[in-house]
Amino acid sequence: MSRRSFPLNAVDAFLKTARHLNLTHAAKELCLTQGAVSRKIAALEAWFGFPLFERHARGLRLSSQGSALLPELQSAFEHLLTVAEQARAQQTVIRLKAPTCAVRWLVPRLLKVEREQPDLQIALTTTTDHHVNFKTESYDAAIVFGTHMSAGDLLFEEALTPVISPLRAGVPLGSMTLLHPTRDKTDWSLWLANQPQPALAMHKNQHFDTMDLAITAAIQGLGVAIADETLVEEDVRAGRLARPYAQSIQTGASYRLVYRAAPDDENGLSAFRDCLLNRG
């Protein structure tokens, strides 16, 4: 038989059975039926071309060939498990907290991390909370949002602009529902206050709990949303959204990447940071 046909998954069954010399006990440890264990051993014996056990009325006994093979197979199997455990231990897990509104920007960059840094595993938690407290929260890094922040690395500054579905491009904006990313009208009020002349009136309004929900509603044609231009950049590029106005208004708020500990190669944060900041 060829090397590729070797029933590797039957080795553990042989080792367990050799230790117990009892199919029932081996099956219980492997969480298999007695018949399944018996078939695995039979497949291994068929590949070797000789019996591994002698069957007696009182139970099993290793054959001479089985006794000779046992220490070698045991050593090889233990080595395989050690290599696997070491490989798993080499993967670095980064626990990341991010506000839901930043996910549209974040996901393409997580794909880049996965592609360029396969040893990094990002355990992402999304939340409507825009801050983090590393003393009470078990995250390694977080994306935070707010004004007057200086900690960590700047990802991008918030700049608001209206967006609509291209399918509604011919509809007068004044007749459309204004989609608000919060329960108040702060963002739309700020944008309208910075226009040279009244562009829209707040006659019809729909409020959402997050900017991401307002953006999704705009994509589906519910109305015109006020959104951060960076967060909708990919949607505009892909044709899912259109910008009826070229200008945007900075709010003074920003998105920043902060860390529990200083980023370095050992904790994986340095490589993760470079991917998010488009370095290298």
Side-chain angles (χ1 to χ4, degrees):
M1 293 187 183
S2 70
R3 183 176 181 179
R4 290 185 177 181
S5 67
F6 178 69
L8 185 61
N9 63 354
V11 173
D12 196 25
F14 165 65
L15 296 176
K16 296 289 194 303
T17 305
R19 184 167 74 247
H20 293 289
L21 291 178
N22 184 293
L23 285 173
T24 301
H25 293 166
K28 184 177 181 180
E29 185 174 347
L30 292 165
C31 297
L32 296 173
T33 64
Q34 182 176 326
V37 175
S38 181
R39 288 190 293 272
K40 286 179 179 294
I41 292 172
L44 200 58
E45 290 177 325
W47 194 90
F48 281 122
F50 53 75
L52 298 172
F53 294 97
E54 295 176 356
R55 281 77 174 172
H56 297 276
R58 294 183 178 180
L60 297 176
R61 187 167 61 201
L62 281 166
S63 68
S64 58
Q65 298 99 323
S67 294
L69 268 177
L70 179 59
E72 296 294 336
L73 285 180
Q74 182 72 58
S75 176
F77 193 74
E78 290 296 333
H79 178 69
L80 177 62
L81 292 178
T82 299
V83 170
E85 287 294 336
Q86 289 175 345
R88 185 173 68 172
Q90 288 174 1
Q91 187 176 62
T92 302
V93 177
I94 295 176
R95 298 162 296 178
L96 174 67
K97 178 182 180 181
T100 304
C101 55
V103 168
R104 308 183 89 84
W105 176 89
L106 178 61
V107 167
R109 286 154 182 82
L110 291 183
L111 293 175
K112 180 184 177 184
V113 172
E114 186 176 271
R115 184 173 61 252
E116 297 181 2
Q117 303 292 335
D119 290 336
L120 291 184
Q121 178 184 339
I122 310 302
L124 173 64
T125 299
T126 58
T127 173
T128 56
D129 183 11
H130 290 166
H131 304 282
V132 67
N133 185 340
F134 289 121
K135 293 181 179 179
T136 59
E137 298 177 84
S138 59
Y139 299 107
D140 302 302
I143 294 176
V144 295
F145 171 76
T147 57
H148 309 297
M149 297 190 304
S150 59
D153 295 303
L154 174 66
L155 297 177
F156 57 93
E157 295 179 342
E158 184 179 51
L160 300 176
T161 190
V163 288
I164 61 172
S165 166
L167 299 177
R168 304 204 65 185
V171 179
L173 293 180
S175 66
M176 296 177 66
T177 300
L178 298 190
L179 307 178
H180 299 269
T182 59
R183 288 292 169 180
D184 57 31
K185 301 177 180 179
T186 303
D187 289 349
W188 264 116
S189 296
L190 177 63
W191 190 84
L192 291 170
N194 282 272
Q195 302 312 302
Q197 56 185 4
L200 300 169
M202 295 190 194
H203 295 314
K204 294 191 294 183
N205 302 277
Q206 183 66 54
H207 301 266
F208 295 89
D209 290 324
T210 68
M211 183 172 287
D212 185 63
L213 291 174
I215 293 170
T216 300
I219 290 174
Q220 295 177 0
L222 184 60
V224 52
I226 188 74
D228 179 82
E229 64 179 357
T230 301
L231 295 181
V232 297
E233 188 175 47
E234 181 57 33
D235 290 308
V236 172
R237 184 184 298 114
R240 292 185 291 269
L241 285 173
R243 291 179 60 171
Y245 298 92
Q247 69 268 36
S248 59
I249 302 298
Q250 288 198 332
T251 66
S254 62
Y255 291 84
R256 304 185 73 90
L257 181 65
V258 295
Y259 319 91
R260 172 182 297 278
D264 60 42
D265 292 335
E266 288 189 6
N267 60 24
L269 289 174
S270 179
F272 174 67
R273 174 193 192 186
D274 289 344
C275 281
L276 253 61
L277 299 177
N278 288 317
R279 296 175 179 172

